[in-house]
Amino acid sequence: DQNKVLRYKYNDDGYWISDPENEMRLDDKNGSYVSLVRPVRSDEGTQLSYRMTKEDGVPYVEFRTYEPQASYIAVVGDFNNWNPENDRLVKDENGIWRKKINIPPGTYRYKFIIDGVWSLDMYNEKTAADGLGGASSLLELTR
């Protein structure tokens, strides 16, 4: 149930306290607060990489990453001239960011930009040199 809320507290040396890092809390009517969190509900899990999809017979690459704390994610690569403005991902209620892009067959290097930090797709084991002394994730498309 997406509307379910879990309640929790920490035991700190015998004292029950609410989570100091979580602003979602409720008065427990005992002089303290109980922390609240909505559980992640996803059949996809959290260890995500790109996947191939089709809509109306058109093939797409769906870039996905689980970054619930992020505020901005874009995918950049050879397919969009490494432009961070072209392909921004959108976050769903489970903290999964995604963007579908129609990309012609070929081999492409790519990275995510997560809140300004250029990052590999950590669950794509294929990588290639990025030409700057580092690595990029590798996407090989055949259809």
Side-chain angles (χ1 to χ4, degrees):
D1 181 5
Q2 284 295 102
N3 297 321
K4 185 172 183 135
V5 175
L6 299 177
R7 299 167 185 233
Y8 69 98
K9 284 189 173 187
Y10 289 133
N11 188 323
D12 184 18
D13 291 328
Y15 295 97
W16 289 97
I17 62 170
S18 61
D19 184 345
E21 299 293 318
N22 183 356
E23 294 179 9
M24 281 186 50
R25 59 186 182 189
L26 184 68
D27 187 338
D28 69 359
K29 307 293 186 214
N30 291 315
S32 183
Y33 292 93
V34 62
S35 298
L36 307 172
V37 66
R38 293 191 192 284
V40 172
R41 302 278 188 208
S42 174
D43 295 335
E44 296 173 286
T46 58
Q47 298 177 351
L48 302 170
S49 183
Y50 73 89
R51 68 179 174 186
M52 301 304 299
T53 66
K54 278 190 177 183
E55 287 183 18
D56 299 324
V58 178
Y60 289 90
V61 177
E62 182 180 34
F63 291 95
R64 306 174 302 161
T65 187
Y66 177 72
E67 296 286 343
Q69 304 304 320
S71 59
Y72 174 90
I73 299 181
V75 62
V76 295
D78 295 324
F79 51 84
N80 67 7
N81 294 317
W82 299 90
N83 186 331
E85 300 298 320
N86 283 354
D87 295 304
R88 296 177 66 170
L89 281 70
V90 176
K91 182 167 72 169
D92 71 15
E93 67 276 358
N94 297 315
I96 298 171
W97 293 75
R98 50 183 94 237
K99 172 72 177 177
K100 291 180 185 173
I101 306 171
N102 182 293
I103 302 173
T107 300
Y108 303 93
R109 296 169 300 155
Y110 72 95
K111 288 186 177 184
F112 291 116
I113 300 176
I114 303 170
D115 291 334
V117 177
W118 292 58
S119 306
L120 291 171
D121 180 345
M122 75 172 68
Y123 294 106
N124 177 358
E125 61 190 35
K126 295 180 181 177
T127 60
D130 66 5
L132 301 171
S136 293
S137 297
L138 190 65
L139 176 65
E140 297 173 306
L141 300 177
T142 57
R143 294 195 184 127

